[in-house]
Amino acid sequence: MSLTDDLPRFTALSARLTGFDEVALESTGLTGTYRAVAEEQLGTERYTRLVRELGDPGDAMDGELRDAARAVTHLWYTGSWPGPPPFVVSPRAYAEGLVWKAAGLKAPATEPGGYGSWADGGDLSRPGDEVEGNGR
Amino acid sequence: MTRYDVIVVGAGVAGSLVAHRLGGHGRRVLVLEAGAAAPASHEPSADPLTTYLTASAKVPGSPYRAHPAAPWPEVTDLSGTEASPGFRAVGHLRQDGPLAYASGYVRVNGGTGNVWTGLAPRMLPEDFDTESFGYGRRWPLTYADLEPHYRAAEAELGVAADADEQREHAGLPLPDGYVFPMRPLPASRVDRLLAARLDGRRVKDPASSCEVELRVVGTPHARNGVPDPRYDGGRGYVPRGRDGRPEPGNRCVGNASCVPHCPSYAKYTPLKTQGRWSPTVTLRDRSVVSRVLVDGRGRATGVEYRSYDGQVSVAHADVVVLAAHAVENARLLLLSRLADRSGQVGRNLMDHPVLLTWGLLPEDAGPYRGPGSVSGFEGFRTGRARRLRAPFRIELGAWGWAWAKGSVDSDVAHFLTEQGLFGAELRRAVGDRVRRQFTLQFEMEQGADPANRVTLHPRERDPLGLPRPLVTYDLDEHVKEGMAAARAVSDQIFALLDAEDHTDYSPAAAWPGRFSYGGRTYGYRGAGHAAGTHIMGDSAATSVVDAWQRCWDHPGLYAVGCGSMPSVATSNPTLTMAALALRSAERVEADLAARDRPGHLTPPPAPSAPQAPTPPSPTRGAST
């Protein structure tokens, strides 16, 4: 399987794992990078199994596949491969971590909101669970 | 060999300010800094921001890479264990005490002042004499003695605060008409939420059985905000940006990474002061001072220092100012076998052990968008309750659970691994969890106790062959009572907020600072506020330095920094350290002026009762 053929499958898999659609993931510019990191860290065999076999990320997974799926999801959410040892892929990867988007926030030191931005959110009673990041 | 008027050891907050003031008087100052000012040509040239962004653990030292020749203790050198004594310390700072000394520092140009939070409250008048509360050590000077120097420090650091609020709700007797250089920072969302729910409510302090009224009060920040045009008699204040350059529009923009790096250079760091040094000040980095030199009568004559390849050099000056951090100052005095008539060098090590409690608000707390803490509760810092428990200041943490649990990576791991979530469920759960997080940070005063100390390790040496520092540390009943009271206060605040309490000091490995008291387990972090190791006093028999931070037995030798503080109180100590350093700089200048006076043959004044050496330096901000 060539890299080019494989990338859409990796992106589709990532969308199922993360809850962010493919457009949101592609807009990070990191799909190719993360595909390469995943294959390198998991090894080609496990990586290929993950991309080919994972239809629905849920109970159907065996232990090895579930661990691989978690690692890839962790990578998308944080920009870090969970290790061991853990490592941040790049400053860009850190900035694009989906954890911040899920919370409607920006990663610290990447896209500050301006003087006083920390005060805003006019309605002080908005329930947190109604807020969801737009995935940008 | 060039002869200097003054050698300053350490280019952090205190050392950079001393050098700045003396350079301003035309003095030839050599500043020797153990850490690196910039990467050498063969080293990775990553800037602090990139190094920080790509660090797996975003710990205080993460923007920098330690050189083996000038190592520093990082919080990751500590881990908790199930077995006694409950922690393990590796790396530069070794430990053999009952409890963990949980703070580190940084040895790079600018020192730990690069990575501090930037909170700059003054100490309160009563903080200068805790002996009247039955613990700690009395200062040989009062708040009133230090007041003009606080104003000078607020000018040098660029402090944003509200004088009226500080007077009314923090208990500071600021002079009438005083205004801070910059207007107070806007309160964070979590501050506003807590103020709306809690201001005016009362909670019971179980130690004193008194009720304390809650009020969210803005904390003074050494961080650029909007200049106050009324400052300095209407002359105003110009914020300083990178390298101290005047930048009227420089503001904190909410990077939410003050510890350890401010990408907008709104936070004060010593590099801003260095950018304003006169040409008579020379910085020599990668220079690890290994010994202070004195003559036959004990007068300081210079220092011996080593480059990273071990080459030994000597520099001479009339005055030597140690400003290398509380732990390293003590280490250097011990290495030099100086200043220890009282037996107090290295003793009385204090920190702010910080009890953290954390949870989820019912609503969006707006975390990770501004300074690490903008406001706090000030009601537990003063008064008779200090007799019964350690006083504490409560910082409202605005970076989620970062200090308690590490980065948000742990939240992701929780839902992914422990709850098995993927897809939309994961996205919803993680987003909800992060947005509602808040933390209360109870910074406990720890009294001076000679048993808490820094010594030289009997065997372990650093790569330059110098004995590593060894710390013996414990928390006494007074501090533990303070933590117990803090937890009880936290419980009441969480109930008033209808917040879910997620405080849990486990796993053991993540809590090197942990103890049981009264049947409850407490975990603490170190605030990085090391103090007391060359304690100031009014007698050579019981203290290391006098009220001017002069070593009693060594004319011309000063040890400045938080190491001089007889009490660390409940204020973040940097501003007080800066005020003391500026005050000492005046004394050094007076010494040098006496030396230079034609026909003046008497030795410099003996270290006796403190007296004003010179007219006060220009203190911007004096309203009258």
Side-chain angles (χ1 to χ4, degrees):
Chain A
M1 191 186 304
S2 80
L3 267 177
T4 327
D5 295 335
D6 177 43
L7 191 56
R9 296 186 70 156
F10 176 75
T11 307
L13 163 74
S14 296
R16 286 199 301 279
L17 292 175
T18 61
F20 285 77
D21 65 29
E22 292 170 39
V23 174
L25 298 182
E26 281 163 359
S27 74
T28 67
L30 289 162
T31 49
T33 303
Y34 283 177
R35 198 218 73 90
V37 169
E39 181 170 359
E40 184 185 306
Q41 295 298 319
L42 294 170
T44 300
E45 195 183 327
R46 259 202 303 169
Y47 167 78
T48 307
R49 232 193 111 211
L50 180 68
V51 176
R52 284 190 179 158
E53 294 183 20
L54 195 61
D56 183 31
D59 298 337
M61 287 186 279
D62 63 28
E64 181 186 277
L65 215 51
R66 189 179 299 114
D67 288 347
R70 282 178 182 156
V72 169
T73 310
H74 190 275
L75 175 63
W76 274 110
Y77 266 78
T78 66
S80 307
W81 187 258
F87 63 90
V88 178
V89 169
S90 66
R92 172 95 191 248
Y94 167 75
E96 296 287 349
L98 298 181
V99 57
W100 304 108
K101 298 177 193 202
L105 299 169
K106 308 295 184 191
T110 61
E111 220 179 312
Y115 182 70
S117 56
W118 51 88
D120 68 17
D123 177 3
L124 292 180
S125 61
R126 184 171 54 174
D129 56 8
E130 288 174 14
V131 178
E132 206 169 321
N134 58 14
R136 217 197 354 200
Chain B
M1 183 189 307
T2 311
R3 188 177 172 84
Y4 296 92
D5 294 313
V6 182
I7 292 169
V8 176
V9 180
V13 173
S16 295
L17 287 171
V18 168
H20 178 52
R21 279 299 166 95
L22 295 170
H25 288 289
R27 301 297 175 186
R28 291 157 298 161
V29 183
L30 174 65
V31 181
L32 296 171
E33 166 55 51
S41 53
H42 61 282
E43 292 171 345
S45 62
D47 70 303
L49 177 60
T50 306
T51 310
Y52 160 71
L53 292 176
T54 53
S56 264
K58 297 210 167 7
V59 294
S62 59
Y64 309 99
R65 295 195 177 93
H67 190 284
W72 66 74
E74 189 49 80
V75 291
T76 42
D77 290 345
L78 278 176
S79 53
T81 60
E82 294 286 1
S84 180
F87 72 98
R88 182 166 177 268
V90 298
H92 181 58
L93 185 70
R94 302 303 170 95
Q95 303 199 34
D96 68 354
L99 289 178
Y101 173 74
S103 286
Y105 49 92
V106 176
R107 293 170 88 192
V108 295
N109 183 34
T112 314
N114 288 300
V115 306
W116 73 312
T117 314
L119 302 184
R122 297 183 181 193
M123 280 172 52
L124 303 169
E126 70 176 48
D127 291 336
F128 290 78
D129 180 13
T130 63
E131 286 181 22
S132 61
F133 297 110
Y135 68 94
R137 293 266 298 247
R138 180 182 290 123
W139 288 57
L141 72 170
T142 64
Y143 174 86
D145 293 328
L146 202 54
E147 206 280 332
H149 308 283
Y150 268 134
R151 295 192 221 177
E154 282 156 358
E156 293 289 351
L157 272 57
V159 174
D162 180 338
D164 289 337
E165 187 181 35
Q166 288 295 301
R167 258 187 226 104
E168 285 170 40
H169 299 304
L172 275 178
L174 295 170
D176 285 344
Y178 181 65
V179 291
F180 286 89
M182 290 171 280
R183 296 188 185 281
L185 293 193
S188 69
R189 181 177 164 88
V190 77
D191 300 340
R192 295 168 58 218
L193 272 170
L194 266 58
R197 305 279 192 288
L198 300 177
D199 275 2
R201 304 295 294 265
R202 304 177 81 83
V203 294
K204 189 166 182 181
D205 171 359
S208 67
S209 300
C210 292
E211 289 208 327
V212 177
E213 186 175 313
L214 298 174
R215 175 170 300 278
V216 175
V217 178
T219 306
H221 288 249
R223 188 181 334 278
N224 288 334
V226 177
D228 192 325
R230 300 169 301 164
Y231 180 67
D232 194 15
R235 281 180 285 278
Y237 177 86
V238 179
R240 297 184 180 279
R242 191 168 192 169
D243 299 322
R245 286 190 289 268
E247 266 186 48
N250 188 290
R251 301 281 185 275
C252 172
V253 291
N255 273 295
S257 62
C258 335
V259 181
H261 181 69
C262 176
S264 63
Y265 298 92
K267 181 185 75 174
Y268 172 81
T269 78
L271 303 185
K272 293 194 182 192
T273 295
Q274 292 182 17
R276 301 164 59 212
W277 276 350
S278 89
T280 61
V281 179
T282 304
L283 174 71
R284 197 166 296 160
D285 70 338
R286 299 163 189 259
S287 299
V288 181
V289 175
S290 47
R291 196 152 62 100
V292 177
L293 306 173
V294 299
D295 66 18
R297 290 173 301 154
R299 166 173 275 281
T301 59
V303 299
E304 171 195 274
Y305 64 98
R306 304 180 189 204
S307 59
Y308 285 180
D309 61 9
Q311 189 186 330
V312 178
S313 304
V314 169
H316 290 290
D318 290 327
V319 176
V320 174
V321 179
L322 307 185
H325 180 268
V327 170
E328 294 292 333
N329 266 5
R331 182 182 179 219
L332 190 46
L333 287 172
L334 292 168
L335 283 169
S336 309
R337 299 175 182 275
L338 293 177
D340 203 19
R341 172 150 49 121
S342 63
Q344 297 298 304
V345 171
R347 293 188 181 271
N348 307 300
L349 174 66
M350 295 174 271
D351 191 11
H352 284 132
V354 185
L355 184 83
L356 300 176
T357 62
W358 61 97
L360 298 175
L361 287 174
E363 57 276 286
D364 175 7
Y368 293 105
R369 298 189 308 175
S373 173
V374 183
S375 306
F377 293 114
E378 309 286 333
F380 304 89
R381 301 174 65 190
T382 58
R384 287 180 301 129
R386 292 179 91 154
R387 289 193 162 277
L388 304 165
R389 53 139 176 90
F392 49 88
R393 203 175 84 80
I394 309 176
E395 293 179 352
L396 307 188
W399 292 348
W401 296 351
W403 204 2
K405 304 285 280 182
S407 67
V408 290
D409 292 24
S410 65
D411 297 310
V412 174
H414 168 78
F415 288 111
L416 204 50
T417 306
E418 289 175 37
Q419 300 210 2
L421 302 186
F422 284 104
E425 280 184 311
L426 174 68
R427 176 176 175 172
R428 193 174 305 112
V430 167
D432 175 62
R433 168 64 59 98
V434 171
R435 289 193 73 100
R436 291 163 54 205
Q437 291 177 346
F438 79 113
T439 298
L440 299 179
Q441 305 165 185
F442 298 83
E443 306 225 344
M444 296 286 139
E445 176 173 29
Q446 173 175 32
D449 176 351
N452 290 330
R453 65 187 299 199
V454 180
T455 53
L456 300 177
H457 198 287
R459 294 176 307 279
E460 295 289 335
R461 287 169 186 265
D462 71 15
L464 291 178
L466 306 172
R468 292 189 190 277
L470 174 67
V471 158
T472 308
Y473 186 78
D474 201 1
L475 300 178
D476 65 13
E477 293 277 313
H478 195 243
V479 173
K480 290 177 179 174
E481 272 298 314
M483 291 215 188
R487 186 66 204 265
V489 166
S490 172
D491 291 345
Q492 295 170 75
I493 290 175
F494 275 66
L496 289 169
L497 292 170
D498 201 17
E500 276 175 46
D501 195 337
H502 284 247
T503 307
D504 176 18
Y505 307 111
S506 71
W511 290 94
R514 199 163 77 138
F515 62 89
S516 292
Y517 185 71
R520 207 167 183 183
T521 297
Y522 298 86
Y524 64 91
R525 301 287 193 224
H529 299 168
T533 54
H534 41 87
I535 200 161
M536 177 192 287
D538 51 19
S539 158
T542 56
S543 60
V544 180
V545 299
D546 68 10
W548 298 102
Q549 304 189 83
R550 285 185 298 204
C551 295
W552 285 106
D553 292 335
H554 304 288
L557 179 59
Y558 288 69
V560 304
C562 293
S564 296
M565 294 170 64
S567 67
V568 70
T570 51
S571 297
N572 312 56
T574 298
L575 185 81
T576 300
M577 171 174 70
L580 287 169
L582 293 170
R583 185 170 180 272
S584 291
E586 289 185 5
R587 182 72 250 183
V588 173
E589 175 56 26
D591 291 351
L592 294 171
R595 177 201 67 182
D596 295 343
R597 202 166 294 138
H600 189 84
L601 296 175
T602 53
S608 57
Q611 55 186 47
T614 53
S617 65
T619 48
R620 291 165 60 86
S623 57
T624 51

